[in-house]
Amino acid sequence: MTKIPVCLQMYTVRDDAQRDLAGTLATVARLGYAGVELAGYAGKTAEEVKALLDANGLRAIGAHVGVDTVTGSPVQAIADAELFGYDYVIVPWIGKPYTESLEGYRKLGAELSAVAPQYAAAGLTLCYHNHAFEFELSDGDKTGLDVLFDAAPDVQAELDTFWVKKGGQDIPEYLKRLSGRVPLVHLKDMDSEGNFAPVGAGTVDYPALFAAAEAAGAKFYLVEQDSCQAPLTPLESIQISIENLRAWGKV
């Protein structure tokens, strides 16, 4: 089986990137990441970021784009995607009023469905990235995330496995539930106290996760760590993550 590429969500190293984007990308490349997922431009122009990615042999496979831009300015979001050459536009976060009721999730689903064909016509896949709050509301066995995806059949999932676990769900089961529409899987571990940890340094059952992700049709793994616990720095944390993934034969 062809290996699923392992990329880095740049939010993990946001502070390093703000100080020295060129040096940070050079480290990401040296560690062996196949590419990145963008989360802003670290104070640079899009063109400057693209040039630095090219200089380091890295590709952007997608970008986190605010929901207001995704739904309100698709022309701009599509133009950015064309500049970088990535295939995935991902909504990374939502707030009120969407999260206040299941109807809010249905409303968001309808709004994303309305623009999804525009992205598809440009060769792009529109995705939604979860946190834990989508699991706080439910209707029978349907969580808020289920309601959202039911209302947006053309929207794909970027499943954040840490937040699935944090939300009290079973990671392999949720991957199975989204089989065929989960091209992007965020890898981040959880320590015994529920904090973020480098991949392989926590409590997530990775053999089960990998088997379920591959059965569900995942196209990319994305290492992400929202915050890093001292004494580890973000760059040290992403090194531990990829070294563990390499030891497991995933890189």
Side-chain angles (χ1 to χ4, degrees):
M1 175 180 279
T2 303
K3 288 181 180 178
I4 296 174
V6 175
C7 300
L8 178 72
Q9 201 340 302
M10 287 295 292
Y11 183 74
T12 312
V13 293
R14 58 195 177 277
D15 294 337
D16 297 279
Q18 197 71 37
R19 289 189 293 267
D20 179 11
L21 180 58
T24 300
L25 289 175
T27 299
V28 171
R30 177 181 57 78
L31 290 174
Y33 286 93
V36 301
E37 186 176 74
L38 298 172
Y41 300 146
K44 307 291 186 183
T45 66
E47 291 78 7
E48 288 171 329
V49 176
K50 178 65 165 65
L52 288 171
L53 288 172
D54 290 345
N56 285 284
L58 292 168
R59 59 171 170 157
I61 63 97
H64 280 187
V65 182
V67 64
D68 291 342
T69 299
V70 167
T71 59
S73 303
V75 171
Q76 181 60 55
I78 290 168
D80 290 343
E82 290 174 345
L83 170 65
F84 284 98
Y86 54 70
D87 297 323
Y88 298 96
V89 174
I90 305 110
V91 174
W93 172 266
I94 56 169
K96 297 178 180 179
Y98 295 123
T99 59
E100 293 180 309
S101 67
L102 293 176
E103 188 53 42
Y105 288 107
R106 290 190 188 94
K107 181 175 184 294
L108 175 61
E111 291 173 0
L112 295 177
S113 286
V115 296
Q118 196 167 344
Y119 288 95
L124 299 171
T125 300
L126 185 59
C127 298
Y128 178 81
H129 169 282
N130 65 284
H131 288 77
F133 54 74
E134 294 91 347
F135 305 111
E136 293 173 1
L137 298 175
S138 62
D139 180 10
D141 65 349
K142 295 280 188 177
T143 69
L145 191 63
D146 294 323
V147 169
L148 167 59
F149 283 126
D150 285 349
D154 294 329
V155 175
Q156 303 286 294
E158 176 171 73
L159 199 69
D160 188 302
T161 55
F162 174 95
W163 290 117
V164 170
K165 185 176 176 70
K166 194 78 165 179
Q169 305 294 316
D170 181 78
I171 294 170
E173 178 58 34
Y174 229 92
L175 285 162
K176 182 178 179 181
R177 187 181 298 199
L178 291 170
S179 185
R181 63 185 301 189
V182 57
L184 308 176
V185 177
H186 268 203
L187 305 179
K188 63 179 75 165
D189 219 327
M190 181 186 295
D191 70 16
S192 59
E193 296 180 353
N195 299 313
F196 302 108
V199 174
T203 61
V204 170
D205 181 348
Y206 275 98
L209 184 159
F210 293 137
E214 288 159 24
K219 304 298 184 187
F220 290 95
Y221 289 133
L222 289 305
V223 169
E224 183 186 33
Q225 197 171 333
D226 301 39
S227 61
C228 300
Q229 309 300 313
L232 293 176
T233 68
L235 291 175
E236 289 169 338
S237 295
I238 68 168
Q239 180 173 349
I240 292 169
S241 290
I242 199 163
E243 285 177 350
N244 285 333
L245 287 162
R246 185 173 288 114
W248 296 334
K250 296 300 177 181
V251 177

